[in-house]
Each structure stands twice: as C-alpha cells, then as structure tokens.
Amino acid sequence: MPNPIRVLIVEDEALIAMELEGLVEDAGHEVAGWATTFDEARQLIEDGEPDVAFVDLQLADGQSGMDVARYIAEHYGSMVVFMTANPRWLPDDLLGAVGVMSKPYTMNGVLARPAVSARRHQETPAGLQAPVWTDPVAVLLGRLGADDRIGPPTGLWRRARERTRPVHRRLRPAPRTARKRPLCCGHSMSEFVTRLVLKRDLFSETRKGHLASAPDRPMIRRDVSAAPAWSRPLGWLLARREIATMRALDGVPGTPHLVSVDADGLLRTWTEGAPLHLARPADRAWYADAFRLLRALRRAGITHNDLAKPQNWLMTPDGRAAIIDFQLASRHRRRGPFYRLLAYEDFRHLLKQMRAFAPELMTPTAKRILKRRSLPSRIWMATGKRLYNLVTRGIFRWSDGEGTHDRLDAEGPAIRAAFLAEGGVSDVAITTYPLPRKGVGLYAFVETGSPLPPVETSADIVQPVPALPRDAQGRARLDLLDRVAMNQTPELPALIGDDPALAAIMEPIVAGRRNFTDRRISRLEG
C-alpha cells in the first residue's frame, strides 16, 4: 500500500464530513483537517499542506468551494476533488480539480451520469483531461490514472459504498410477531447472581453481577419485571428498543453485547470503564475514537438519542470510547430527514461533551456546529423538556441523570472556593449521585484536619474527610469517591486492589459516608 495520504475535508454538513472522515481513515490515510468556511480551509492548508482536498461547493460562510480550489491552485500543488449535487455549476476546466463526487454519496450512492461526463471531456490549460466523476477511494489509494478519472464510479468505490450501507438494509428484519414479545432461549433469572444494584426507576432495575457458571465474567441484568405493574408495558417498550439496537450493533467495538432475553428482562455484557463526568478525557485520541463509534452507529442505521448524558459515554481502561444504555435508541430503515436530524443531534452531543471536558480541543467548526441546534431540538428544550422534567422529577421523583457535568461545571468552582476559604481546608473533591428533582446531587468531600464549620454552598451533601485518595499525579481519585457518593461501596475493593495505604485512606471515608440510598434487591432475586 502507498504511503498514507493527508486529506483535507471542506464540507459544511457535519454528517457528510464525519462519514468521509471515516472512509479516509478506513483506507489507512490521515485527515489533515475539517473546515466549513474558506478562512478555516485556508488556515488548515497553511498549517500543513494536504495531498488531497475534498471540497464542497456551498460553504457555511456563503463562499464557494471554487474559491478554495482557486487558492489551492495558486499557492499549492494539492489535488482537489469537488463534492456537489450540482456539477453544472462548475466551469468546464473544473479550476484544475481532478474530478467531482456526486452527493449524497453515503446515502443514495454516487449518481453517475455518463452524459454529463462526456460533455466535460476536454483539455485543460495544463494539458490534462478534466474529469467529472471521480472514485474517492481510487484517489486515496494513489490510483488516480486516466482510466479512473473518467466515467462512472469503479468497482472499488461500489464496494466501499456497500461497506457503508446500513446493516439493516443488508439483513432482513425479524417478523414483527417475533419482535413483539422479547422471549427467547437464554439464561434464566435464577442463574444470575446479583452483586450490586446500579439503578432502579419506574421502568426497570439494573444490576451488576455474573452467571453462576461464570463468576469471572461481569454481566448487566435489566429486570423489567421489577417495575410496578402499571409502568411495566412502557418498561418493555424501552427494553425492546435496547434489545433490537444491541442485535444490530453486535460485534461493534465499544458497544455492549446482548447475551440473552427472557420473560423478566435482558442480560448483556458489562462494559468496563469510567463515565465521562469522572474520566473527564482531555486526550484528542479519545474523541477521535468516539467519532469512530458514532460512524459505526450511523452505518448500522442507529441513533442513540441520549448522548447528552455523560454517564452514557465511557472511557475504557485502554483509553477507548464506549457507549451504553440504548433504551431510547432507534433503528432507521431509511436515512431520511428524521434520521439525519437525530444523527446530527448525536453528533452535537458528542461535541457538547468535548466542550465540557476538553474545550481546548474545540475547533471553530465544532463551535459553530454546537451553536446550530436543530429546530425540533429548540422546540423540545423550550416546551417538551420542561414538561418531561416536571413529570419525571417532580411527580415520579425519578432522575435520568442528564445535566451531570452542567451542575459540576456551573456550581463546582463556587463550592470549592467557599470551602477553601475556610481555615484548615486543604482540598475539595466534588462528585455526583442520583437526586430526584435536581437530576443529580452534588456530594462534596472536604479534606480538613479540623472540625468543619457550616458553610453556605449549593452542595447537597458535605462530608469532611481526613485525607482524599489520590493517584500518582496527586489528583483526587474520583472513581473511588463516586462509589462512596452513590453508596456503591461493594465495588471499592476491586478498585483499591492490594494497596494498604489506599485502603487506610478509604476506610474512614466509607465509614462516614452520608448517602444511604436504598440498594435492596427486588423481590425476584433468589
């Protein structure tokens, strides 16, 4: 294979750019950058000359991709491939570009028109034939010769297009009668050994444990039958969505694997990792992997619809991205406007997490996309979201946990400053726990060697501790403190390991914990 090629993407539609990024990376090449305006493209070109530029005709600032092509032709020797649904807008010489890709190339395939291509067959001032339809994979593989430049897409591009087709278009869906009632052969309730209740709401109870026959393999059990009888039908509706999504994503790295389904609920694999509001990733590599994961969902025709919650994103022990909790996810048989709307919001929510935890990684393009919320989303936030919060948090006293990092970011600095102003306080660590009405509560661990006087803050629980657990860099171990705040102390021994000094620090913190949320096991266990 030739040396990796640096590819610049100039495209103002986020989903198309993300799909093209995936195609470039899958081919073993490097994305030199992504721009939505002429100025952004010029800056990226000046920062590092790309080998190839895929350029959309209509840019976000009202300028044309032809301006980008002219700039490249005048100052650099990069190849340009235009991306447009209207090739007739281009001049006959294509401004020196090597070809044109028809859009939308990832949704409806490449709409090759040999007649248009024939009209463009003429010599450019440089003595090269000006092509119209270009195989982007051939460009990336360095195979852009005369035969590849002219005519409809090659077989290589068709195979790449087939690879990006949604899985649900290649697989026949199960009959509705088979999906209606999610009962199948699998492990029964009696085989599952519960170690910890992670979550309990009106629709199900989520537990961590293992099968009696495999104690070393952690599992997650979602028990719908533990819900009240009146809310159980809705609980099964959510569970069926999760079951269908996990089946569609089977084998995709970073997603849970469905083990079995029975009359009480479902069993899936446990995904090891820290939720985003605890991991707070600042490494560009994690976000690149998260975008890779979103592309995998997109290719399977899946939208998650709940990625605004940082606890649905995980950082695995090896630094990779993972997604959990697919109860609100949806499978789309067609990539129509509704699908693109939901996929766009998934993409925006990942940018929202980047803004919260790694704002220095936000590019001007990302900031612009984050500000451009879709119209249905704006309507939902102004109307339906308020009613939703009133019903779930006010009437049912149930929290979905959304907004975790918002409270931490908005209120955390003031809480820390208030306690650090007190004499004898050396440090403050703040984490969260489920709290109805507010969504999440703020739990402050205050490191002090003397009695702590009352301090007026917005923290919901304050616990003085003689010392905070710390990692090798001296940072507070929020993964440990989070378990204490959520009263999930059975998980602490595995995190502490064989470290007697750390165990000694944690012992008084666990003994003095102030959240004793009920963690009893439902009536079905045992």
Side-chain angles (χ1 to χ4, degrees):
M1 178 178 176
N3 292 330
I5 295 172
R6 287 173 50 80
V7 180
L8 171 66
I9 299 172
V10 185
E11 167 63 66
D12 65 343
E13 188 171 334
L15 296 182
I16 291 179
M18 185 171 67
E19 199 69 47
L20 190 55
E21 280 186 344
L23 183 62
V24 170
E25 292 170 353
D26 288 348
H29 299 287
E30 177 186 352
V31 177
W34 168 32
T36 63
T37 67
F38 172 79
D39 290 337
E40 290 175 4
R42 181 175 58 187
Q43 185 62 52
L44 288 171
I45 294 169
E46 292 174 354
D47 290 345
E49 181 179 348
D51 300 306
V52 180
F54 290 152
V55 181
D56 183 25
L57 273 188
Q58 299 297 320
L59 302 182
D61 57 358
Q63 290 184 279
S64 170
M66 289 187 282
D67 298 325
V68 177
R70 289 192 188 96
Y71 179 78
I72 291 176
E74 292 173 2
H75 299 88
Y76 300 92
S78 306
M79 288 193 299
V80 173
V81 177
F82 281 117
M83 302 184 296
T84 179
N86 298 284
R88 292 179 178 83
W89 292 355
L90 292 166
D92 286 340
D93 63 358
L94 295 184
L95 301 173
V98 297
V100 179
M101 279 194 295
S102 180
K103 294 168 58 178
Y105 65 90
T106 58
M107 299 173 189
N108 301 317
V110 178
L111 306 177
R113 293 294 185 269
V116 178
S117 180
R119 184 174 68 83
R120 300 289 192 174
H121 287 177
Q122 56 183 299
E123 296 293 317
T124 67
L128 296 175
Q129 280 193 320
V132 170
W133 303 109
T134 296
D135 180 346
V137 178
V139 173
L140 294 175
L141 294 180
R143 296 182 52 187
L144 192 60
D147 293 337
D148 293 312
R149 290 178 181 170
I150 302 172
T154 65
L156 180 61
W157 172 233
R158 286 196 295 270
R159 287 194 296 275
R161 182 183 64 183
E162 178 68 22
R163 188 176 68 249
T164 61
R165 285 177 60 193
V167 172
H168 58 73
R169 291 187 181 180
R170 302 197 298 268
L171 301 177
R172 177 175 297 176
R176 178 167 291 276
T177 54
R179 303 195 309 270
K180 182 72 174 178
R181 183 174 174 82
L183 302 178
C184 67
C185 297
H187 302 279
S188 67
M189 186 72 177
S190 59
E191 294 181 72
F192 184 76
V193 180
T194 299
R195 293 301 184 191
L196 184 67
V197 176
L198 298 178
K199 180 181 177 182
R200 181 185 294 113
D201 56 39
L202 290 171
F203 311 115
S204 64
E205 186 173 88
T206 304
R207 315 173 188 176
K208 182 182 179 183
H210 58 81
L211 297 175
S213 58
D216 58 340
R217 187 184 179 193
M219 294 281 182
I220 289 294
R221 172 77 182 183
R222 188 180 300 282
D223 179 14
V224 181
S225 298
W230 64 269
S231 64
R232 209 169 296 161
L234 182 55
W236 269 118
L237 176 64
L238 297 174
R240 288 190 182 100
R241 295 173 75 98
E242 186 170 23
I243 291 166
T245 300
M246 285 192 289
R247 284 173 175 163
L249 294 174
D250 189 37
V252 174
T255 62
H257 168 67
L258 181 67
V259 177
S260 66
V261 182
D262 61 17
D264 295 315
L266 64 93
L267 186 69
R268 66 167 176 86
T269 55
W270 161 262
T271 303
E272 188 67 43
L276 227 58
H277 61 283
L278 297 180
R280 305 183 75 85
D283 186 5
R284 188 181 300 275
W286 185 91
Y287 294 97
D289 194 54
F291 284 121
R292 183 271 313 167
L293 190 50
L294 278 188
R295 289 195 297 269
L297 266 64
R298 175 174 162 78
R299 292 173 184 176
I302 300 294
T303 55
H304 188 281
N305 309 326
D306 206 18
L307 293 179
K309 301 178 187 176
Q311 60 265 42
N312 286 344
W313 289 97
L314 301 180
M315 175 183 276
T316 63
D318 59 354
R320 302 291 298 274
I323 295 177
I324 58 173
D325 197 351
F326 288 89
Q327 290 186 90
L328 298 181
S330 45
R331 296 183 66 194
H332 301 262
R333 300 185 180 280
R334 292 183 177 85
R335 295 190 176 192
F338 183 62
Y339 163 77
R340 292 195 294 271
L341 171 68
L342 296 181
Y344 179 76
E345 287 302 312
D346 277 354
F347 179 74
R348 282 189 66 258
H349 288 150
L350 177 54
L351 293 180
K352 183 179 179 182
Q353 308 299 348
M354 180 187 290
R355 181 184 64 183
F357 304 119
E360 67 279 2
L361 300 181
M362 292 287 289
T363 64
T365 300
K367 293 175 182 177
R368 183 180 299 107
I369 290 174
L370 199 55
K371 291 179 180 178
R372 194 173 62 189
R373 178 177 285 159
S374 64
L375 178 61
S377 176
R378 294 197 299 268
I379 295 174
W380 164 253
M381 295 300 294
T383 57
K385 182 65 174 179
R386 296 178 182 179
L387 178 61
Y388 170 82
N389 287 337
L390 173 64
V391 172
T392 57
R393 300 175 185 178
I395 299 176
F396 292 150
R397 299 185 63 80
W398 169 71
S399 166
D400 65 1
E402 185 173 347
T404 297
H405 67 270
D406 292 335
R407 283 204 71 192
L408 280 174
D409 292 342
E411 304 174 36
I415 295 174
R416 283 182 52 85
F419 283 115
L420 290 175
E422 294 292 326
V425 174
S426 54
D427 200 1
V428 180
I430 306 172
T431 186
T432 61
Y433 67 99
L435 182 64
R437 296 183 183 274
K438 288 187 178 181
V440 293
L442 297 183
Y443 195 124
F445 295 88
V446 182
E447 188 177 64
T448 178
S450 58
L452 184 66
V455 179
E456 187 68 27
T457 71
S458 60
D460 301 287
I461 295 179
V462 177
Q463 179 182 346
V465 298
L468 290 172
R470 300 185 183 277
D471 59 18
Q473 288 73 41
R475 297 172 300 191
R477 287 282 303 271
L478 293 179
D479 56 335
L480 298 174
L481 298 176
D482 178 66
R483 268 62 175 185
V484 176
M486 297 181 67
N487 198 25
Q488 295 178 355
T489 53
E491 287 193 348
L492 288 174
L495 296 173
I496 294 173
D498 299 326
D499 188 338
L502 183 58
I505 292 174
M506 289 303 299
E507 184 177 359
I509 297 177
V510 173
R513 68 188 187 279
R514 299 189 176 184
N515 177 26
F516 293 94
T517 303
D518 177 27
R519 292 190 296 104
R520 61 184 173 79
I521 307 303
S522 78
R523 57 182 174 80
L524 289 176
E525 185 177 1

